[in-house]
Amino acid sequence: MRLRWLLAALLTGTLTGCTTGGAAPARPAAQPTRPATHTGSPTGPGSPAEPGSNAGPGSPAEPGSNAGPGSPAEPGSNAGPGSPAEPGSNAARAEATRASQASAAPAVLIGAGDIATCDGTGDSRTLAVLQRFPGTVFTLGDNAYPDGSRSNFATCYGPAWGRVKARTRPAVGNHEYHSSRNATPYFDYFGAAAGPRGKGYCSYEAGAWHVVVLNTSCSSVPGGCGRGSAQEHWLRADLAAHKTACTAAMVHHPLFTSAATHPPATETRPLVQALYDAGVELLLAGHNHVYERFAPQTPGGRRDTAHGIREFVVGTGGAALYPFGKVAANSERRDHKTFGVLRLTLRPGWYRWDFLHVAGGSFTDSGTGTCH
């Protein structure tokens, strides 16, 4: 079993560190886009079959599969009427490049936040979902309850999500600072995957996508999260070095949330503004122990389908779940009763999301979108 996890890590490139420097690698050209879609209603039945199953008629096709009649064409595929371009022409070369990129295996990110406790079984149940799927495992902070101590990581996180540590890219949460003002046990446990010690912000590549990991424990990270802070300055420079990439951001505290327990983390707005200014597509957060998906929006909360960031709150990794309060503007789908993980399937210019519930659950959420 251990060999299988290591092989998956090698195949997804997750044994290298998360860095705060270095030149941007060459990026493939973005694919032609198609309109963003989503499946599932905010309430009631009608959700698609769970990804990975042999879904019945009408379910969305997995990216890269031979979709049935009437399904949308994969970006870069030869779809619809029209003859192929003349061999040797610029159009033919562009077509060949698109076809090559479309046929490449997508990058997969899968994970959640608010994970391991020693007094519950939610973390082992979400681990069982992770073990069914390949890809890079991400965490969204508050990895080991209650205090992010060495003992919490060893006795709570280790026997659960620690089993997929070799392919994990973590983010730091506020609980990691309960036992150490520098979150030392967190950095000791995850090593290079956690990025430079003491910072908790860094970036890495996931196939054709760029991923930034931010530290939104603003009172603990050196310099805070404000405009002009060291972290905000680094973030803008990092994004400027990856202008041609589709980008996702991983944080702990959500700027937008409908949960009743923790209010919106408005102190993170300068970081989200930097993400928005650079055209980032996705923002994943935890902290509130719920699942919630928002429509693309500006850092000020205005719906923006052309340039906005789509935020997911995925605090469903295993810790006790929270109730909802007043529904926030632009909230499209939410659940507070189901443990599970979010899987992102990433291709050049395109992404798909799937919320994968634990055994015994029924809530699902799936859809697709395109890069800006």
Side-chain angles (χ1 to χ4, degrees):
M1 186 67 71
R2 176 70 173 172
L3 179 60
R4 187 179 71 182
W5 294 329
L6 287 173
L7 179 58
L10 288 168
L11 291 175
T12 55
T14 57
L15 295 182
T16 59
C18 192
T19 67
T20 55
R27 315 300 304 171
Q31 293 296 298
T33 60
R34 61 180 175 184
T37 63
H38 64 85
T39 59
S41 169
T43 57
S47 300
E50 179 168 347
S53 66
N54 294 323
S59 61
E62 177 69 18
S65 66
N66 295 323
S71 61
E74 176 72 16
S77 65
N78 294 325
S83 58
E86 182 179 349
S89 66
N90 289 336
R93 286 192 292 270
E95 182 178 308
T97 299
R98 288 193 297 268
S100 175
Q101 292 169 352
S103 64
V108 174
L109 301 179
I110 183 170
D114 308 283
I115 301 165
T117 68
C118 282
D119 57 1
T121 61
D123 50 4
S124 60
R125 295 171 70 194
T126 52
L127 169 67
V129 181
L130 295 178
Q131 291 176 320
R132 290 170 49 203
F133 296 96
T136 297
V137 174
F138 63 83
T139 79
L140 298 172
D142 285 4
N143 304 286
Y145 284 87
D147 300 313
S149 66
R150 285 185 173 82
S151 175
N152 295 159
F153 274 105
T155 61
C156 302
Y157 188 92
W161 283 38
R163 297 186 179 186
V164 291
K165 179 182 175 183
R167 58 182 178 114
T168 296
R169 297 283 198 178
V172 67
N174 55 291
H175 277 260
E176 273 71 58
Y177 288 95
H178 284 190
S179 64
S180 167
R181 69 176 189 173
N182 297 317
T184 299
Y186 164 82
F187 289 101
D188 286 347
Y189 183 82
F190 286 110
R197 180 173 292 271
K199 291 184 177 181
Y201 54 88
C202 56
S203 66
Y204 61 92
E205 310 307 311
W209 282 61
H210 185 61
V211 182
V212 294
V213 180
L214 301 178
N215 187 340
T216 53
S217 292
C218 299
S219 62
S220 299
V221 61
C225 303
R227 182 168 177 80
S229 65
Q231 181 173 205
E232 192 253 4
H233 179 77
W234 167 82
L235 176 60
R236 288 186 178 274
D238 181 84
L239 294 172
H242 298 84
K243 287 183 177 179
T244 59
C246 302
T247 304
M250 308 285 183
V251 304
H252 180 60
H253 300 81
L255 178 56
F256 305 106
T257 180
S258 299
T261 305
H262 298 302
T266 55
E267 68 275 15
T268 68
R269 201 182 307 276
L271 298 179
V272 178
Q273 184 66 54
L275 298 174
Y276 178 79
D277 291 346
V280 169
E281 281 70 36
L282 302 175
L283 175 62
L284 277 61
H287 196 46
N288 274 321
H289 303 182
V290 300
Y291 174 81
E292 188 166 20
R293 168 172 53 82
F294 286 84
Q297 57 190 323
T298 70
R302 177 177 57 82
R303 185 181 288 254
D304 181 357
T305 56
H307 304 289
I309 301 174
R310 184 185 295 280
E311 184 195 87
F312 293 86
V313 180
V314 197
T316 53
L321 298 171
Y322 291 167
F324 281 114
K326 181 180 178 181
V327 176
N330 302 317
S331 176
E332 292 187 324
R333 185 138 168 87
R334 54 203 167 271
D335 178 81
H336 70 286
K337 297 180 179 180
T338 309
F339 291 118
V341 300
L342 183 68
R343 182 178 67 173
L344 296 176
T345 304
L346 308 174
R347 290 188 183 275
W350 183 89
Y351 64 92
R352 175 189 172 101
W353 72 85
D354 294 286
F355 181 81
L356 309 176
H357 59 72
V358 298
S362 60
F363 173 82
T364 61
D365 183 37
S366 299
T368 64
T370 54
C371 296
H372 300 134

